[in-house]
Amino acid sequence: MSKTDAAQSDLDLPAHGAATLPGVTVDSYNIEIEDDDGFVGDQASKRAFWALMDKWRKPWRKTGKDPLGKEPSEKIGRQKLAELLADGDPEAAAVVASAIDDYAHGLASVIRRYSRLKEWRKTEYLVIGGGFSASRLGKLAIARTELLLREDGFNLDLDIIHNDPDEAGLIGAVHLLPTWMLRGHDAMLAIDIGGTNIRAGVVRFGKRPADLAKARVVKVERWRHGDEDVTRDQAIRKLIGMLRKLLRWARSETIELAPLIGVACPGLIAEDGAITRGGQNLPGNWESSRFNLPSVIRAGIPQIGNEESLVVMHNDAVVQGLSELPRARNRKRWGVLTIGTGLGNARYTNRKPNGGK
């Protein structure tokens, strides 16, 4: 990822995929490390956990007595597996516990690899996001990961993202923008595009967004596109429809929206808004040189209120991690890993440590 040559001040207009944001410098994001087995981050994706569940069910299946039955692990779901771990038969609980432990070793291995990179050195604090992190299974796996790292002498605090993982990628969008652009408004529109789901929401921050710590999602539209066979253009039309619905709702609630739309999207984001790499899990070709997502959104939503709309886009892990910025002010160097279809990553250095100006 290339960094912009000049530092962006709070008075500058925001840029797509910017390295310098009002509160942080984005040291790196969307790093893809490969070894003989493929991408290192795949060891800590959602798919990796379900594969480990199947691995530990296999010995029982050979006996014809799988304690979890015939249903695929992913269909059983995280909640049911957590119940089996707590109160299920010992054989079923042992399968779940073994998968959690293997997953924790995989996640710890990924963190060790990132920590050796120049851009990730001296990371003090790492927050884990994504839907898996919010489940009981995910929390146990993350706690086990921190224990493994501390056993190895890593002085790194791990934490679970504090906002709802489904909303963190929307809330983080307010930190893409200098606060002067938000003043005088109640809220803004935000979009979080993932490999399985697309979410659009109204993020409220109040008339005086001093530190944005109270930003929250007050209305959200969700669409699980991963369950449908859709083209890129169909996905965009659906997204524009979601935004228009939110605009109507905001008017009905007399919420004054800023003429801004923040977008979190997978991949490397160029300064012109092009997705140069990493959009392979999205429906259709989002990396085409003839496709520019911010321009398409702006064409669909040309105005908000009486003003022209401005669209600002960044990587989805970067934006999700930014939702933690108010809590990470006392750390100089910190990062985020988002557990989803893949493993998103970003590392930051605070520009305003301890909330200072």
Side-chain angles (χ1 to χ4, degrees):
M1 183 194 71
S2 63
K3 294 185 178 181
T4 54
D5 294 331
Q8 177 189 22
S9 75
D10 286 350
L11 297 179
D12 287 338
L13 291 174
H16 304 302
T20 306
L21 298 172
V24 300
T25 298
V26 182
D27 302 310
S28 75
Y29 73 87
N30 203 58
I31 287 179
E32 296 176 334
I33 306 173
E34 287 189 81
D35 59 16
D36 293 340
D37 298 320
F39 290 109
V40 170
D42 289 345
Q43 299 176 42
S45 67
K46 285 192 302 184
R47 292 171 182 166
F49 179 77
W50 298 123
L52 290 168
M53 283 293 303
D54 290 339
K55 167 192 168 182
W56 288 106
R57 292 176 72 179
K58 189 173 181 180
W60 284 117
R61 286 173 176 169
K62 289 180 178 178
T63 70
K65 298 187 296 182
D66 185 342
L68 275 70
K70 296 182 179 180
E71 197 169 16
S73 301
E74 193 168 358
K75 294 293 184 182
I76 296 172
R78 297 189 296 255
Q79 180 61 38
K80 179 61 177 178
L81 292 178
E83 293 171 0
L84 290 172
L85 181 64
D87 300 311
D89 292 337
E91 293 84 358
V95 168
V96 180
S98 298
I100 289 174
D101 192 58
D102 272 7
Y103 181 85
H105 277 84
L107 180 56
S109 177
V110 170
I111 293 171
R112 291 187 195 102
R113 288 293 299 273
Y114 282 132
S115 297
R116 293 201 294 267
L117 299 173
K118 178 181 178 181
E119 301 92 336
W120 276 74
R121 288 175 190 163
K122 298 183 180 180
T123 301
E124 306 162 36
Y125 175 62
L126 185 60
V127 61
I128 311 294
F132 183 72
S133 68
S135 67
R136 177 64 176 168
L137 300 182
K139 291 175 181 177
L140 289 171
I142 292 165
R144 174 66 171 141
T145 300
E146 183 170 12
L147 190 61
L148 290 168
L149 291 171
R150 290 193 175 278
E151 184 183 30
D152 284 349
F154 273 73
N155 186 23
L156 176 66
D157 294 331
L158 263 63
D159 205 351
I160 297 166
I161 206 159
H162 289 81
N163 292 293
D164 185 317
D166 288 346
E167 297 182 352
L170 301 173
I171 293 171
V174 301
H175 297 284
L176 295 174
L177 304 153
T179 55
W180 66 263
M181 297 188 74
L182 305 177
R183 292 190 186 110
H185 303 281
D186 300 312
M188 65 174 283
L189 293 178
I191 302 166
D192 184 12
I193 299 171
T196 303
N197 297 280
I198 292 177
R199 301 178 184 88
V202 175
V203 182
R204 190 157 194 166
F205 43 74
K207 293 287 187 182
R208 295 182 178 179
D211 60 7
L212 303 175
K214 296 182 180 179
R216 69 191 191 282
V217 177
V218 293
K219 182 70 174 178
V220 67
E221 293 288 321
R222 298 180 179 88
W223 175 43
R224 187 176 173 86
H225 66 83
D227 293 338
E228 304 178 31
D229 184 15
V230 296
T231 66
R232 183 191 68 200
D233 290 346
Q234 288 172 332
I236 294 300
R237 285 196 292 271
K238 176 72 172 181
L239 172 58
I240 296 300
M242 294 162 68
L243 291 172
R244 288 173 178 166
K245 188 174 181 180
L246 291 170
L247 285 170
R248 292 193 296 270
W249 178 84
R251 283 195 297 268
S252 71
E253 297 292 319
T254 63
I255 293 175
E256 188 175 348
L257 291 173
L260 307 164
I261 303 174
V263 183
C265 185
L268 280 174
I269 311 301
E271 189 175 354
D272 66 354
I275 303 167
T276 60
R277 191 177 77 238
Q280 66 272 7
N281 292 321
L282 302 176
N285 182 10
W286 294 53
E287 299 174 22
S288 169
S289 60
R290 294 175 292 179
F291 176 74
N292 185 281
L293 180 58
S295 296
V296 172
I297 293 172
R298 192 170 184 272
I301 309 292
Q303 284 188 310
I304 297 177
N306 297 320
E307 301 179 67
E308 292 185 11
S309 57
L310 173 67
V311 179
V312 182
M313 186 167 79
H314 217 309
N315 172 266
D316 56 343
V318 170
V319 180
Q320 187 170 151
L322 288 174
S323 69
E324 288 292 301
L325 181 55
R327 295 180 180 84
R329 289 290 190 190
N330 62 335
R331 314 283 185 143
K332 184 175 181 180
R333 303 176 186 89
W334 59 287
V336 62
L337 297 178
T338 59
I339 302 170
T341 308
L343 185 73
N345 59 83
R347 217 296 288 266
Y348 316 91
T349 297
N350 281 343
R351 296 183 64 209
K352 298 180 180 181
N354 301 317
K357 296 183 179 180

